[in-house]
């Protein structure tokens, strides 16, 4: 059975009371789930873009420009078509849409959608007897949305930093220095390179607020948490920064609309969904947010916990009670509590790089990959590998780099050395930047893992060893999708119940791996060697 056929994974459970719909419009797939009033999963469906929508010819959900491989986009209409399909899959799974009282969603962060003039009218008058994708085919002034993998906006980043007095100042205002994938520089590039399209754009959405707009039947506001991934929002006042807006494009404030708290109710579900899928017309649409903020909602992180998401990107994040100013990493507004923030580190070369090493060293099989990984000792005889298929965010490097104890080599002795070097290198990288950010790693640290690779215990064992901390997992590996469903309930109940009350019913995470006793002796020096290697490599550039 393919992943896409795994419908109604809750075993066809029927909910008695109200239910909540959560979606995650991620890089490689659109996932949707329905949870009951206790937040237990009752149905789930997935649309994998590459295989379920082959007509868009994506690889890993994206198009890499042939002439400029820093330019990476996804067809906006593919996401619309994916929503048509995922809702049909939920229907086949027996979901009763009339029981759903609230909907929310999460989206890959930073990507942008350009609504053509007149698109909002189309959204408001959708015909229930037609698919969304048929009706919205001409609604986008830029048909290929720039996504978070893009790194083609260096020039616009420099201009943004200049507009407010340098990288540190930009980080102080927006929580991040200028990053190429952040939406401000992406919008500035569209304005410069596709002027007519920019002028024909009535509204600009993030991927999350775009998903929300489809359900709301009107262009939905951007929430403050995903909005903090744009280099445009003041993360303390929660308002757009005028100087930064002006640096990116004319009338940008009108095109973006005012940002809202992440748990905000945007409005009732559009009549399209009431008539086509029999949603209740009282069903509310709650603002959608970024996938990392949504994961924070789905993971219910307590004190001492660090979340590590092993998806298309590898990310690490935690709850922050105060914003701090950092150059490597991001501070975002918190999606649950308006008086808190979250720390985020993102590494572009996550699962797709592990897949590349699996394909070259383990015949494309995770089982073989795991056997080879487990057959090598912790520390890998001193071999360290850095594998950056795409321009990495931190460290700013691209390419493969292999080091034995004695120096740089072009190849390791065996596939198992290469596999362990790749996995250890990825987790040492997360540890180094987490420590630099100020994440405290001590005997109380616990890691909560999520994302596609978190079902792989051999990989999680390396994570536990490198961090010298136990790794836990939740029953469902997709915390962003679940977090969106939880946010639907949180948004609906926000005036009367706290997030902690609402999520009190979710099961505690369970222990997946504990670190071996010898790991501090092995990895403390390796972390230092990695720092030295990165120092040398980045200095050379
Ligand atoms: P996204 O970031 O698009 O939401 P996911 O979190 O769903 O992605 O992760 C997708 C990735 O999960 C795939 O690219 C795949 O490499 C990885 N994955 C799936 N199963 C395994 C496994 N058993 N071992 C390691 N990685 C896996
Ligand atoms: C976070 C980031 C990625 C995307 C896609 O800053 O760029 O994690 O959200 O998952």
């Amino acid at each position: 059975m393919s992943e896409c056929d795994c419908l109604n994974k809750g075993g066809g459970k029927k909910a008695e009371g109200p239910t909540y719909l959560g979606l995650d419009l991620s890089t490689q797939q659109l996932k949707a789930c329905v949870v009951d009033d206790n937040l237990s999963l009752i149905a789930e469906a997935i649309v994998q873009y590459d295989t379920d929508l082959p007509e868009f010819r994506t690889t890993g959900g994206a198009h890499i420009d042939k002439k400029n491989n820093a330019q990476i986009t996804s067809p906006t209409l593919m996401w619309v078509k994916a929503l048509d399909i995922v809702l049909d899959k939920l229907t086949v799974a027996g979901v009763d849409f009339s029981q759903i009282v609230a909907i929310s969603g999460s989206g890959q962060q930073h990507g942008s959608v350009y609504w053509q003039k007149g698109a909002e009218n189309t959204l408001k008058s959708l015909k229930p007897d037609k698919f969304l994708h048929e009706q919205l085919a001409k609604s986008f002034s830029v048909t290929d949305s720039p996504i978070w993998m893009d790194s083609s906006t260096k020039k616009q980043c420099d201009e943004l930093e200049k507009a407010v007095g340098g990288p540190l100042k930009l980080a102080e205002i927006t929580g991040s220095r200028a990053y190429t994938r952040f939406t401000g520089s992406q919008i500035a590039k569209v304005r410069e390179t596709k002027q007519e399209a920019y002028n024909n754009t009535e509204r600009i959405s993030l991927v999350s607020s775009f998903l929300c707009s489809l359900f709301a039947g009107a262009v939905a506001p951007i929430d403050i948490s995903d909005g903090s991934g744009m280099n445009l929002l003041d993360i303390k006042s929660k308002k757009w920064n005028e100087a930064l807006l002006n640096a990116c494009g004319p009338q940008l404030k009108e095109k973006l609309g005012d940002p809202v708290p992440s748990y905000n109710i945007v409005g009732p579900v559009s009549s399209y969904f009431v008539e086509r899928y029999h949603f209740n017309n009282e069903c509310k649409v709650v603002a959608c947010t970024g996938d990392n903020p949504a994961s924070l909602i789905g993971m219910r992180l307590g004190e001492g916990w660090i979340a590590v998401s092993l998806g298309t990107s590898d990310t690490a994040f935690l709850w922050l009670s105060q914003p701090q100013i950092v150059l490597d990493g991001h501070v975002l507004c918190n999606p649950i509590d308006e008086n808190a923030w979250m720390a985020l580190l993102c590494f572009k070369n996550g699962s797709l790089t592990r897949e590349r090493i699996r394909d070259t060293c383990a015949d494309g099989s995770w089982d073989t990959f795991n056997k080879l990984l487990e057959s090598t000792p912790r520390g890998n005889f001193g071999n360290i590998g850095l594998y950056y298929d795409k321009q990495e965010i931190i460290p700013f490097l691209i390419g493969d780099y292999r080091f034995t104890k004695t120096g740089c080599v072009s190849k390791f002795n065996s596939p198992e050395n290469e596999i362990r070097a790749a996995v250890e290198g990825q987790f040492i990288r997360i540890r180094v930047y987490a420590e630099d950010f100020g994440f405290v790693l001590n005997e109380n640290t616990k890691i909560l893992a999520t994302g596609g690779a978190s079902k792989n215990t051999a990989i999680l064992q390396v994570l536990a060893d490198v961090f010298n901390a136990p790794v836990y997992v939740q029953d469902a590996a997709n915390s962003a999708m679940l977090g969106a469903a939880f946010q639907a309930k949180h948004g609906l109940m926000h005036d009367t119940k706290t997030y902690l009350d609402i999520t009190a019913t979710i099961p505690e995470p369970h222990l997946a791996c504990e670190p071996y006793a010898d790991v501090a002796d092995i990895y403390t020096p390796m972390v230092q060697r990695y720092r030295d290697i990165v120092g040398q490599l980045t200095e050379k550039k």
Side-chain angles (χ1 to χ4, degrees):
M1 188 169 66
S2 82
E3 227 176 348
C4 306
D5 299 324
C6 297
L7 298 170
N8 219 352
K9 280 194 179 157
K13 270 199 278 171
K14 284 267 176 234
E16 289 297 326
T19 60
Y20 303 87
L21 174 63
L23 300 102
D24 176 28
L25 204 171
S26 74
T27 317
Q28 303 191 54
Q29 61 250 316
L30 174 66
K31 305 163 204 152
C33 71
V34 178
V35 300
D36 65 14
D37 210 25
N38 291 321
L39 304 183
S40 305
L41 188 66
I42 54 173
E44 187 179 7
I46 300 174
V47 175
Q48 192 86 28
Y49 310 130
D50 293 359
T51 48
D52 290 334
L53 291 162
E55 63 273 32
F56 291 97
R57 296 171 189 274
T58 55
T59 306
H63 288 153
I64 303 182
D65 189 87
K66 287 199 182 74
K67 291 198 204 102
N68 174 6
N69 62 15
Q71 204 161 281
I72 307 190
T73 56
S74 290
T76 317
L77 204 61
M78 174 180 81
W79 295 333
V80 179
K81 213 166 178 183
L83 182 59
D84 285 321
I85 301 175
V86 97
L87 289 171
D88 283 345
K89 284 182 179 240
L90 287 177
T91 308
V92 174
V95 168
D96 177 357
F97 291 107
S98 71
Q99 280 180 291
I100 297 173
V101 291
I103 305 168
S104 188
S106 99
Q108 48 173 298
Q109 295 198 255
H110 320 297
S112 42
V113 169
Y114 298 79
W115 298 98
Q116 174 112 295
K117 282 188 180 148
E120 186 145 39
N121 266 341
T122 312
L123 270 179
K124 286 187 173 147
S125 48
L126 293 167
K127 312 261 180 318
D129 56 336
K130 289 203 169 117
F131 284 113
L132 288 172
H133 73 90
E134 291 173 290
Q135 302 183 70
L136 293 172
K138 295 208 164 64
S139 291
F140 306 107
S141 46
V142 175
T143 52
D144 291 290
S145 286
I147 62 162
W148 66 277
M149 292 173 135
D150 185 281
S151 56
S152 66
T153 60
K154 172 81 179 74
K155 170 178 172 284
Q156 291 78 11
C157 280
D158 292 344
E159 287 164 4
L160 264 184
E161 290 184 340
K162 220 164 131 205
V164 288
L168 204 62
K169 190 71 196 151
L170 186 60
E172 191 185 325
I173 301 168
T174 69
S176 305
R177 66 173 165 81
Y179 282 91
T180 50
R181 71 192 192 288
F182 274 44
T183 330
S185 60
Q186 294 290 341
I187 294 173
K189 186 181 157 206
V190 167
R191 193 251 307 154
E192 272 174 52
T193 57
K194 298 189 167 89
Q195 208 158 10
E196 206 183 324
Y198 184 86
N199 293 337
N200 281 333
T201 299
E202 70 183 3
R203 295 294 301 272
I204 299 174
S205 293
L206 291 179
V207 177
S208 56
S209 63
F210 153 77
L211 176 64
C212 192
S213 307
L214 298 177
F215 280 105
V219 176
I222 291 173
D223 81 294
I224 52 170
S225 198
D226 208 12
S228 334
M230 301 173 78
N231 276 144
L232 296 176
L233 188 81
D234 182 323
I235 58 160
K236 291 193 203 88
S237 70
K238 279 81 175 162
K239 302 237 181 330
W240 301 123
N241 176 289
E242 301 278 346
L244 292 168
L245 290 181
N246 292 339
C248 290
Q251 279 99 47
L252 188 51
K253 201 171 184 177
E254 293 75 45
K255 291 187 203 292
L256 294 176
D258 290 334
V260 296
S262 310
Y263 47 75
N264 194 66
I265 295 179
V266 166
V269 70
S270 129
S271 58
Y272 174 83
F273 295 93
V274 176
E275 290 167 40
R276 188 176 174 92
Y277 295 99
H278 311 295
F279 275 82
N280 190 311
N281 58 12
E282 299 279 300
C283 171
K284 298 288 185 286
V285 179
V286 172
C288 299
T289 191
D291 54 359
N292 293 296
S295 279
L296 185 85
I297 301 168
M299 293 171 103
R300 212 174 187 269
L301 288 184
E303 180 98 30
W305 287 83
I306 295 176
V308 173
S309 170
L310 304 172
T312 310
S313 59
D314 284 349
T315 64
F317 48 89
L318 48 76
W319 186 286
L320 282 183
S321 10
Q322 286 303 323
Q324 47 190 90
I325 305 168
V326 287
L327 285 178
D328 280 341
H330 318 294
V331 177
L332 309 181
C333 294
N334 190 296
I336 300 161
D337 179 348
E338 264 189 276
N339 298 311
W341 288 262
M342 68 179 278
L344 172 69
L345 290 168
C346 176
F347 305 95
K348 208 181 273 181
N349 297 287
S351 280
L352 297 177
T353 302
R354 286 186 287 275
E355 281 179 28
R356 194 249 300 178
I357 303 289
R358 176 201 65 187
D359 294 346
T360 50
C361 299
D363 296 329
S365 150
W366 286 123
D367 275 350
T368 312
F369 181 97
N370 293 348
K371 280 189 193 113
L372 293 171
L373 178 62
E374 285 166 342
S375 73
T376 44
R378 292 178 286 289
N380 202 13
F381 307 107
N383 296 320
I384 293 190
L386 289 70
Y387 302 84
Y388 306 128
D389 297 357
K390 298 203 174 65
Q391 177 63 58
E392 190 46 273
I393 302 162
I394 39 175
F396 193 75
L397 290 171
I398 186 162
D400 289 351
Y401 306 90
R402 297 175 185 82
F403 295 84
T404 61
K405 269 188 182 156
T406 50
C408 181
V409 292
S410 59
K411 180 163 175 282
F412 287 128
N413 284 344
S414 67
E416 50 269 40
N417 287 152
E418 179 98 329
I419 288 173
R420 184 163 275 276
V423 180
E424 286 187 343
Q426 287 184 322
F427 295 152
I428 291 174
R429 170 188 64 172
I430 302 182
R431 178 171 153 182
V432 162
Y433 290 99
E435 286 178 336
D436 288 356
F437 195 109
F439 289 22
V440 180
L441 303 180
N442 58 28
E443 64 286 358
N444 298 322
T445 304
K446 287 186 280 239
I447 296 174
L448 188 51
T450 185
S454 69
K455 52 185 164 226
N456 186 324
T457 316
I459 289 179
L460 294 186
Q461 183 61 53
V462 181
L463 181 63
D465 291 338
V466 168
F467 276 75
N468 194 10
V471 173
Y472 291 74
V473 289
Q474 290 172 311
D475 285 339
N478 195 314
S479 54
M481 173 186 76
L482 278 180
F486 300 175
Q487 186 75 327
K489 182 165 181 186
H490 180 222
L492 197 66
M493 307 260 157
H494 182 258
D495 291 341
T496 51
K497 281 190 171 174
T498 66
Y499 160 78
L500 286 179
D501 288 340
I502 288 164
T503 53
T505 50
I506 65 172
E508 292 293 320
H510 54 262
L511 183 65
C513 306
E514 288 202 86
Y516 283 91
D518 58 355
V519 293
D521 292 343
I522 296 170
Y523 291 108
T524 309
M526 270 180 98
V527 165
Q528 189 49 49
R529 267 187 73 214
Y530 175 94
R531 285 180 185 282
D532 297 342
I533 288 169
V534 167
Q536 284 163 20
L537 292 173
T538 44
E539 210 166 83
K540 260 193 222 155
K541 291 179 75 227

